Amino acid sequence: MRTPEEIIKSIVEKNTIKDVFFAACGGSLVDLYPGYYFISKESANMHAHWLPARELTVSPSRFLNEHALVIICSHSGNTPECVEVGQAVLAKNANVIAFTHAPGSAVDREDFNPIIYDWADDVNQNEKPQGIVMRILNELMKAQEPDYDKYEDVLDGLEKADGIVRRAEKKVLNRTWLFAEKYYEEPFLYIMASGASYSQAYGFSICSLQEMQWMNCCYLHSGEYFHGPFECTDENTLYILMKGTGSARVFDERAEVFLKKYARKYEIIDAEELGIGEIKDTVNEYFAPMLFYQMTVSYRTALQNKRQHPLDMRRYMGVVEY
Amino acid sequence: MRTPEEIIKSIVEKNTIKDVFFAACGGSLVDLYPGYYFISKESANMHAHWLPARELTVSPSRFLNEHALVIICSHSGNTPECVEVGQAVLAKNANVIAFTHAPGSAVDREDFNPIIYDWADDVNQNEKPQGIVMRILNELMKAQEPDYDKYEDVLDGLEKADGIVRRAEKKVLNRTWLFAEKYYEEPFLYIMASGASYSQAYGFSICSLQEMQWMNCCYLHSGEYFHGPFECTDENTLYILMKGTGSARVFDERAEVFLKKYARKYEIIDAEELGIGEIKDTVNEYFAPMLFYQMTVSYRTALQNKRQHPLDMRRYMGVVEY
């Protein structure tokens, strides 16, 4: 199998990429968001698009052509929406890269340029989807944009991310137990973040809590919080705020000040306090989502244990037809 | 004051627009979404961007230049995030159009190309922000894209939208009362939509319920529902599903089938049943959000009356410093 670096090299040798589409479903869509945010912020020549896979099939962008790169991700490898979108964009001569955990699955086909990732606990972050996305995009930027000056910083981040995540995991273990002890019976909570890490507020909600714990919750952009949602804030409503880094951190800081003044039940998960600063300031905002993902695993595991609701229990997904 | 049509004409006379940014906060951000969706789907030459206004100030896209059009919307005209973003993008030679309800406010300045809209009940939909956005973009597409063939259909939609919305408002009055009677004590609900109308699931949640009723709720993309959130579905959880039109309707239809099978408490608001089909199929998906907005007004008014929670009551917004 070719490495992510070899795949992107073979694509840019043939075509200049002008549009990068990130298309997947649920948790895989979450994993692609930091890459979308990275291109949107850093690129002078490429536009980024992030959307539920089937949106791209039913409403195909007119920029789907040989200058488009479509990154899809399907953990099972057989998500129908992902298989369909891959085929649909190939018909428009777009370039596809498909991530999957499942060798031999429907997206593991040569014209999709498959990348098989391992998902075991001991796998390095730079071999998991969020890491692979950054590896691909870092090479893409280097190959195409002469003024791109973050290549070495991203490589350094890819090197350090795994250690940071593992140390943070140990560091938060006791606080996740305390969180679960205090809040396991909460009927509802809000989860806030911004920037590249907004994806993890979304993922924490839809995957870790709604799917795996059947817990009702809502994700919010911590800037948008002040334009409506904050009116729900009171001493009884629970909030989790993920404080990212980079230029979007101002949103999270503002929300933190407000929560400290007007809420009583809140949990702050701060990427800075958890060590993301070991990676250079120029790029660490793109790595914070990897760290936050692992924190969602830690918190949901504490909740599962206290609530005695197995993370893998499903009543619909893979159980009934829909 | 110049008309929206005159403003866009003067802009395209000077520059070719290649990127359209839609930047605002809260309810105003909601109003700009259908325009973002329209450009993303229809344009062969322009890219669209939709984001909380301050994101564009703290992480400026590298496509902010003389070929960019930045549409901002501030109801009060003094939203600091909107004023700042307007100034920041002018410094990059981007073109600005600012919508506001407030003549003489901070965004009502000549270099922002202001459009003052009226917000009274009797004002035609095509004079309110969602209508004005479609008027501007329709002219922009006609001026720049020779193969654009929906110009007349959009004009026809702008002509018909107001009547459709007013008839729908009468049609749903009793059902909004029944909804409030049944569900006014619900602690939580989910609101789903997709396509251009996804904005109205978001707006219904953050403005009508979280802000105006202090009711906890969560917006969902009706396609993403199947990739996690649907595991919360049971006989006790309340859902509102807004069924839009156009190619995204398949998402909503799939969610409806599921709700009918596995939920007991749900409300379907169907743009088709409410008359959106009077506008041509080619474009009516872009007008469904106007219709849905008015439905959110109807539902929240019924809730306010039953819950005796005034829509205009605020505990933080405009009340405390933040």
Side-chain angles (χ1 to χ4, degrees):
Chain A
M1 202 181 76
R2 291 178 301 162
T3 64
E5 289 77 6
E6 286 163 353
I7 290 172
I8 195 71
K9 198 174 164 217
S10 74
I11 289 173
V12 294
E13 268 170 14
K14 280 181 293 180
N15 283 301
T16 304
I17 298 302
K18 298 181 182 168
D19 285 89
V20 187
F21 293 85
F22 300 88
C25 301
S28 295
L29 187 57
V30 169
D31 279 347
L32 300 182
Y33 189 86
Y36 160 77
Y37 190 85
F38 169 78
I39 293 294
S40 298
K41 188 165 168 182
E42 303 289 349
S43 179
N45 303 308
M46 292 183 282
H47 285 88
H49 313 250
W50 180 77
L51 64 191
R54 201 176 179 191
E55 287 255 13
L56 206 54
T57 315
V58 301
S59 311
S61 161
R62 296 182 69 185
F63 293 96
L64 287 168
N65 54 39
E66 69 275 23
H67 299 296
L69 169 63
V70 182
I71 299 180
I72 60 183
C73 181
S74 168
H75 193 72
S76 73
N78 295 315
T79 319
E81 292 94 325
C82 291
V83 183
E84 282 162 23
V85 79
Q87 287 168 332
V89 303
L90 277 185
K92 295 177 185 287
N93 299 315
N95 305 278
V96 176
I97 297 179
F99 299 179
T100 181
H101 179 53
S105 63
V107 303
D108 180 15
R109 40 186 271 187
E110 205 184 326
D111 51 3
F112 279 14
N113 295 304
I115 295 173
I116 314 291
Y117 59 83
D118 194 350
W119 193 246
D121 286 345
D122 62 347
V123 173
N124 194 295
Q125 288 294 327
N126 59 31
E127 298 287 349
K128 290 184 173 182
Q130 295 194 69
I132 299 168
V133 168
M134 285 307 296
R135 286 166 61 188
I136 286 173
L137 300 178
N138 199 37
E139 297 299 328
L140 179 58
M141 289 289 291
K142 186 190 178 201
Q144 293 197 160
E145 308 204 6
D147 72 346
Y148 179 58
D149 60 3
K150 299 187 174 178
Y151 183 75
E152 295 298 334
D153 294 356
V154 169
L155 287 186
D156 173 70
L158 286 162
E159 186 68 30
K160 291 177 178 162
D162 200 66
I164 295 169
V165 169
R166 289 183 195 281
R167 284 187 292 279
E169 212 180 343
K170 290 204 183 80
K171 189 167 183 178
V172 302
L173 185 61
N174 190 60
R175 52 179 106 149
T176 65
W177 290 337
L178 289 172
F179 177 88
E181 187 71 23
K182 269 163 92 172
Y183 298 128
Y184 76 106
E185 289 184 309
E186 285 294 320
F188 174 75
L189 70 157
Y190 287 104
I191 305 175
M192 292 197 273
S194 68
S197 296
Y198 175 69
S199 54
Q200 290 299 325
Y202 182 63
F204 201 163
S205 299
I206 72 159
C207 300
S208 298
L209 299 185
Q210 293 171 3
E211 177 179 336
M212 297 183 178
Q213 288 296 299
W214 309 356
M215 279 176 76
N216 292 319
C217 57
C218 181
Y219 42 97
L220 294 172
H221 182 285
S222 42
E224 283 285 280
Y225 171 63
F226 292 94
H227 298 280
F230 74 155
E231 284 289 336
C232 283
T233 305
D234 61 24
E235 300 208 332
N236 298 315
T237 307
L238 175 60
Y239 289 83
I240 295 175
L241 171 65
M242 292 163 148
K243 285 178 73 183
T245 52
S247 52
R249 187 170 168 92
V250 291
F251 292 112
D252 310 328
E253 287 172 339
R254 188 183 183 203
E256 184 180 21
V257 169
F258 193 88
L259 287 177
K260 288 187 168 165
K261 195 159 178 186
Y262 295 105
R264 192 176 50 88
K265 300 198 274 193
Y266 54 84
E267 184 84 355
I268 312 282
I269 309 177
D270 184 354
E272 201 130 279
E273 187 248 339
L274 294 172
I276 204 72
E278 293 177 41
I279 297 171
K280 295 215 172 71
D281 282 350
T282 49
V283 299
N284 65 25
E285 65 184 300
Y286 307 121
F287 293 91
M290 291 179 200
L291 172 60
F292 285 134
Y293 171 71
Q294 202 59 47
M295 298 302 97
T296 71
V297 174
S298 298
Y299 278 85
R300 79 189 181 204
T301 302
L303 284 167
Q304 127 172 306
N305 295 342
K306 183 69 191 174
R307 300 176 79 232
Q308 287 293 296
H309 180 115
L311 289 170
D312 288 336
M313 179 167 64
R314 299 290 179 277
R315 47 184 157 184
Y316 307 120
M317 192 179 279
V319 177
V320 304
E321 291 279 326
Y322 51 88
Chain B
M1 202 182 76
R2 292 178 300 163
T3 64
E5 289 77 6
E6 286 163 354
I7 289 172
I8 195 73
K9 199 175 162 216
S10 74
I11 290 172
V12 294
E13 268 169 14
K14 279 181 294 181
N15 282 302
T16 303
I17 298 301
K18 297 181 183 170
D19 284 89
V20 187
F21 294 85
F22 300 87
C25 302
S28 295
L29 187 57
V30 169
D31 278 348
L32 300 183
Y33 190 86
Y36 160 77
Y37 190 85
F38 170 78
I39 293 294
S40 298
K41 187 165 169 182
E42 302 289 349
S43 179
N45 303 309
M46 291 182 283
H47 285 89
H49 313 251
W50 178 79
L51 64 192
R54 201 176 180 191
E55 287 255 14
L56 206 53
T57 316
V58 300
S59 311
S61 162
R62 297 182 69 183
F63 292 97
L64 287 168
N65 55 37
E66 69 275 22
H67 299 296
L69 169 63
V70 182
I71 300 180
I72 61 183
C73 181
S74 168
H75 193 72
S76 73
N78 296 315
T79 318
E81 292 94 325
C82 291
V83 183
E84 282 162 25
V85 79
Q87 286 167 332
V89 303
L90 277 186
K92 295 176 185 289
N93 300 314
N95 306 277
V96 176
I97 298 180
F99 299 179
T100 182
H101 179 53
S105 63
V107 302
D108 180 15
R109 43 187 268 187
E110 205 183 327
D111 52 2
F112 279 15
N113 295 303
I115 295 174
I116 315 290
Y117 58 83
D118 193 352
W119 194 247
D121 286 346
D122 62 348
V123 172
N124 194 295
Q125 289 294 326
N126 58 32
E127 299 288 350
K128 290 184 173 179
Q130 294 194 68
I132 299 168
V133 169
M134 286 307 295
R135 286 165 61 188
I136 286 173
L137 301 178
N138 199 37
E139 297 299 328
L140 180 58
M141 288 290 290
K142 186 191 178 201
Q144 293 197 160
E145 306 204 7
D147 72 345
Y148 179 56
D149 60 3
K150 299 188 175 178
Y151 182 75
E152 295 298 334
D153 294 356
V154 169
L155 287 185
D156 174 70
L158 286 162
E159 185 70 30
K160 290 176 179 164
D162 198 66
I164 294 168
V165 169
R166 288 181 195 283
R167 285 188 291 280
E169 211 181 344
K170 290 204 183 81
K171 191 167 180 176
V172 301
L173 185 61
N174 189 59
R175 50 179 109 148
T176 65
W177 291 337
L178 289 172
F179 177 88
E181 186 72 24
K182 270 162 91 172
Y183 298 128
Y184 76 106
E185 289 184 311
E186 285 294 322
F188 174 75
L189 70 158
Y190 286 104
I191 305 176
M192 291 198 273
S194 68
S197 296
Y198 175 68
S199 54
Q200 290 300 323
Y202 182 62
F204 200 164
S205 300
I206 71 159
C207 300
S208 298
L209 300 185
Q210 293 171 4
E211 177 179 335
M212 297 183 178
Q213 290 295 299
W214 308 355
M215 279 177 74
N216 292 319
C217 57
C218 181
Y219 42 97
L220 294 172
H221 183 285
S222 42
E224 284 284 281
Y225 172 62
F226 292 95
H227 298 281
F230 75 156
E231 284 289 336
C232 283
T233 305
D234 60 24
E235 300 207 333
N236 297 315
T237 307
L238 175 60
Y239 289 82
I240 295 177
L241 171 65
M242 293 164 146
K243 286 178 71 184
T245 52
S247 52
R249 188 171 169 91
V250 292
F251 292 111
D252 310 328
E253 287 171 339
R254 188 183 183 204
E256 183 180 22
V257 169
F258 193 87
L259 287 177
K260 288 188 169 166
K261 197 159 177 186
Y262 295 105
R264 191 175 51 86
K265 300 198 274 191
Y266 54 83
E267 183 84 355
I268 311 282
I269 310 178
D270 184 353
E272 201 130 278
E273 188 248 341
L274 294 172
I276 204 72
E278 292 176 41
I279 297 171
K280 295 214 172 72
D281 282 351
T282 48
V283 299
N284 65 26
E285 66 184 300
Y286 307 120
F287 293 91
M290 292 180 200
L291 172 60
F292 285 133
Y293 171 70
Q294 202 59 47
M295 299 301 96
T296 70
V297 174
S298 299
Y299 278 84
R300 78 190 182 201
T301 303
L303 284 167
Q304 126 171 307
N305 295 342
K306 182 69 191 176
R307 301 176 79 232
Q308 287 292 296
H309 180 115
L311 290 170
D312 289 335
M313 178 166 66
R314 298 289 179 279
R315 47 184 156 183
Y316 307 118
M317 192 180 279
V319 177
V320 303
E321 290 279 327
Y322 50 87

